[in-house]
Amino acid sequence: MTSSSPPPALAHSAGVAHAHKGDGDVLRCLVCDIRNRSLCSSMDEEGLAALAHSSRQLQLPPGTTIVEEGEPALAFFNVTGGTVKLFKSLPDGRRQITGFADAGQFLGLSTAQTYSFGAETVDNVRLCRFLRPQLETLLSDYPTFERRLLAAVTDKLAEAQEQMLLLGRKTAREKVATFLLDRMRAYHLTMGHTRQEVENLASVPMTRVDIADYLGLTIETVSRTISAFRRSHLIASAENHRIRILSVATLLTIASGQKPD
Amino acid sequence: MTSSSPPPALAHSAGVAHAHKGDGDVLRCLVCDIRNRSLCSSMDEEGLAALAHSSRQLQLPPGTTIVEEGEPALAFFNVTGGTVKLFKSLPDGRRQITGFADAGQFLGLSTAQTYSFGAETVDNVRLCRFLRPQLETLLSDYPTFERRLLAAVTDKLAEAQEQMLLLGRKTAREKVATFLLDRMRAYHLTMGHTRQEVENLASVPMTRVDIADYLGLTIETVSRTISAFRRSHLIASAENHRIRILSVATLLTIASGQKPD
DNA sequence: CGCATAGTTGAAAGTTTTCAAAAGAGGTGG
DNA sequence: CCACCTCTTTTGAAAACTTTCAACTATGCG
């Protein structure tokens, strides 16, 4: 709820306009440039064709609601481009962002009838949508795919535990340092190659509100902490919502709970 | 690290003494009283025999280390009795308990070579241990078991997200109220039948230190908050590390972020 | 060019933590 | 069976980190 445009309902409105029919191009998955970094890497050529048939590709603008808390859990998504935020809210509006899903990450898994979380695009997002029954079929037909999903969810759980440590036990300073390093890693991953120019850059497409809601802080504290890092020459601003990390080592020390200035 | 006895290394010492050979009694799983509430519910009779063959049953005293952060991830566990705490630590000793695994819950899943978390018994714990290769075999041989595990991990992830909301956005008061209600639900689940006498009782076998490390608070704040609830007659002490919840409705209101006293 | 939104900075307020000490609980041994 | 010791829990007061409230600056889009 931070973008200027009012969040459209779901893929039914904004997304479908750009949607490619699931059975339109069987090659879609075969030529997908991030498939090696996603669940789809578990598939052979036949499996990739099945994936293409089972899914629709959507292209969504910033601030679009993908999944609404409490709504029927009808679909599963694989992010192929951009960044999605996942969150949970309290009745009075307090919100916790539980994670950012960058390209190659999945979202929307649920054993309950309804989603227990919301999801919204941060920037321009491309994703593949699988309806529940189609996902179930894929899991049954392709054991390697199911095994890969199990591994992916297991990794997400480990990530969540790491975030719990951050939320429950780290100081504001430590939280922000951790966040910046995580964003640097995420950027390196989505860029694939760790090119010279990309090195030590962190992609931060989300607003201060989102960062605050992710770290369990207020926007003011986030802003102050980032300013302090900048003053200490630990980081510097870069073009296009990016931050250059000038001292990875120091930030690592801070993030892990040791004091250095 | 709350028990009086120094924590023994692992099953190798304390546990094995009480261990039952995996292939000792094929009936073990068949007669397990909590199997309907665990992963094992996905198994037919043949599968249950395979489970019994693949696992060892351990009986561990309070304060025993089950899994050590950073050690090779060699085994997977299913808790059949008692309560286990899972946690992550910072170098300076700060600790976050990421969850309590009661009877029927699993722990020890990892895609990495080493565990990214620690696990320790809270009280007397019974659990079934599966070595990695044996678990893999089970997953491959019994698709329903794998599907059930996927669902269980998915549920754990949803739980983790709920806990992130608590850690990042709830007040001390709201955190403790949520915790007490969760413990009441856990008690009802492990007791199976929601008998009259059991109603509104919460089982709290863990120390204040553990509660504090779970809620991202200090022991003093936890103690003060519980005392305040007691003074307000929202709760009352009961025998055997139990707490009687006198006003579930009020506690629910508080836990969900509304103000009531 | 100007309004609107996002981000920054300052000062006061507040919730939680830290420091300290007393009270309670559990276990051991005389 | 009670005394005693240790560990846990409770309670109080001061300190601290983060939040809240407020105002100002920067950035972006029509």
Side-chain angles (χ1 to χ4, degrees):
Chain A
M1 192 80 42
T2 180
S3 136
S4 47
S5 58
L10 172 57
H12 307 103
S13 54
V16 158
H18 310 262
H20 301 234
K21 283 279 299 199
D23 38 35
D25 48 332
V26 197
L27 288 175
R28 174 158 55 80
C29 292
L30 202 60
V31 302
C32 177
D33 48 329
I34 60 98
R35 90 154 185 264
N36 318 312
R37 269 168 279 139
S38 84
L39 291 171
C40 311
S41 67
S42 58
M43 289 298 209
D44 55 21
E45 274 203 36
E46 180 207 319
L48 289 174
L51 279 179
H53 278 292
S54 306
S55 66
R56 265 170 178 267
Q57 195 171 42
L58 306 179
Q59 171 101 38
L60 306 172
T64 309
T65 296
I66 298 167
V67 150
E68 199 132 19
E69 229 170 325
E71 289 299 301
L74 302 175
F76 169 87
F77 303 86
N78 203 24
V79 181
T80 55
T83 302
V84 173
K85 58 189 177 196
L86 307 176
F87 55 87
K88 286 182 69 80
S89 303
L90 289 170
D92 66 357
R94 277 175 286 172
R95 187 184 67 158
Q96 178 65 40
I97 292 185
T98 58
F100 293 104
D102 296 289
Q105 303 294 111
F106 72 88
L107 69 99
L109 213 53
S110 170
T111 66
Q113 288 298 31
T114 58
Y115 291 115
S116 62
F117 56 89
E120 192 179 314
T121 56
V122 170
D123 48 14
N124 279 305
V125 168
R126 268 176 309 128
L127 40 76
C128 297
R129 184 183 67 191
F130 299 81
L131 296 181
R132 260 301 188 99
Q134 297 164 334
L135 176 68
E136 304 254 329
T137 304
L138 282 172
L139 293 177
S140 300
D141 291 351
Y142 299 90
T144 58
F145 183 66
E146 178 166 32
R147 191 61 64 90
R148 185 68 169 68
L149 180 59
L150 178 59
V153 185
T154 301
D155 284 342
K156 277 286 166 214
L157 185 57
E159 236 178 68
Q161 290 170 338
E162 186 72 43
Q163 190 67 0
M164 286 191 244
L165 175 63
L166 176 145
L167 291 170
R169 289 303 183 214
K170 287 188 180 178
T171 65
R173 207 178 142 73
E174 292 161 1
K175 286 177 175 180
V176 174
T178 305
F179 173 72
L180 292 173
L181 289 169
D182 283 350
R183 291 313 304 174
M184 185 181 80
R185 284 190 213 98
Y187 189 54
H188 284 178
L189 278 178
T190 64
M191 296 305 282
H193 40 58
T194 307
R195 290 215 315 269
Q196 195 78 0
E197 329 115 52
V198 163
E199 210 137 25
N200 296 349
L201 276 183
S203 158
V204 187
M206 60 290 288
T207 66
R208 292 289 183 270
V209 175
D210 286 344
I211 299 174
D213 282 351
Y214 178 59
L215 299 178
L217 298 171
T218 58
I219 55 172
E220 292 93 334
T221 299
V222 170
S223 184
R224 273 187 255 274
T225 307
I226 290 181
S227 296
F229 283 161
R230 196 159 25 217
R231 272 194 299 279
S232 305
H233 301 290
L234 297 177
I235 62 173
S237 307
E239 74 283 351
N240 263 84
H241 292 281
R242 284 194 255 278
I243 290 179
R244 182 171 300 281
I245 299 187
L246 303 176
S247 176
V248 175
T250 308
L251 233 44
L252 271 170
T253 312
I254 296 171
S256 71
Q258 290 142 88
K259 295 237 110 164
D261 192 270
Chain B
M1 188 82 39
T2 182
S3 137
S4 46
S5 58
L10 171 59
H12 307 102
S13 54
V16 158
H18 310 263
H20 301 234
K21 284 280 297 200
D23 38 37
D25 48 331
V26 198
L27 287 176
R28 173 157 55 83
C29 293
L30 203 59
V31 301
C32 176
D33 48 330
I34 60 98
R35 91 154 184 265
N36 317 313
R37 268 167 280 138
S38 83
L39 292 172
C40 313
S41 66
S42 58
M43 289 298 208
D44 54 22
E45 275 203 34
E46 181 207 319
L48 289 173
L51 280 178
H53 277 290
S54 308
S55 67
R56 267 171 176 266
Q57 196 171 43
L58 307 178
Q59 172 100 36
L60 307 172
T64 309
T65 297
I66 298 169
V67 151
E68 198 131 20
E69 228 170 325
E71 290 298 302
L74 302 175
F76 169 88
F77 304 85
N78 204 24
V79 181
T80 55
T83 301
V84 174
K85 59 188 176 198
L86 308 177
F87 54 86
K88 284 181 72 79
S89 302
L90 289 171
D92 66 358
R94 277 175 287 172
R95 187 183 67 158
Q96 178 65 41
I97 292 185
T98 57
F100 293 105
D102 297 290
Q105 304 293 112
F106 71 89
L107 68 100
L109 213 52
S110 170
T111 66
Q113 288 296 33
T114 59
Y115 291 115
S116 62
F117 56 88
E120 191 179 314
T121 56
V122 170
D123 48 14
N124 279 305
V125 168
R126 269 176 308 128
L127 40 77
C128 298
R129 184 183 66 191
F130 299 80
L131 296 180
R132 263 293 194 103
Q134 296 163 335
L135 176 68
E136 304 255 331
T137 304
L138 282 172
L139 293 177
S140 300
D141 291 352
Y142 299 90
T144 58
F145 183 67
E146 179 166 31
R147 190 63 62 91
R148 186 70 169 69
L149 180 59
L150 178 59
V153 185
T154 301
D155 284 342
K156 278 287 167 215
L157 185 56
E159 236 179 67
Q161 290 170 338
E162 187 72 41
Q163 190 68 0
M164 286 191 244
L165 176 63
L166 176 146
L167 291 170
R169 288 302 183 215
K170 287 188 180 179
T171 65
R173 203 178 147 73
E174 292 161 2
K175 286 177 176 180
V176 173
T178 305
F179 173 73
L180 292 173
L181 289 169
D182 284 350
R183 292 312 303 173
M184 185 181 80
R185 285 191 212 99
Y187 189 54
H188 284 178
L189 276 178
T190 64
M191 295 305 282
H193 39 59
T194 308
R195 290 214 313 269
Q196 195 77 1
E197 329 114 53
V198 163
E199 211 137 26
N200 296 349
L201 275 184
S203 158
V204 186
M206 59 291 287
T207 65
R208 291 288 183 270
V209 176
D210 286 345
I211 300 174
D213 282 351
Y214 179 58
L215 299 179
L217 298 171
T218 59
I219 56 173
E220 292 94 334
T221 300
V222 170
S223 184
R224 273 187 254 273
T225 308
I226 290 181
S227 296
F229 283 161
R230 195 159 25 220
R231 272 195 299 278
S232 304
H233 302 291
L234 296 178
I235 62 173
S237 308
E239 73 283 351
N240 262 85
H241 292 282
R242 283 194 255 279
I243 289 178
R244 182 171 300 283
I245 298 188
L246 302 177
S247 176
V248 175
T250 309
L251 235 43
L252 271 170
T253 311
I254 296 171
S256 70
Q258 288 142 86
K259 296 235 108 166
D261 192 89

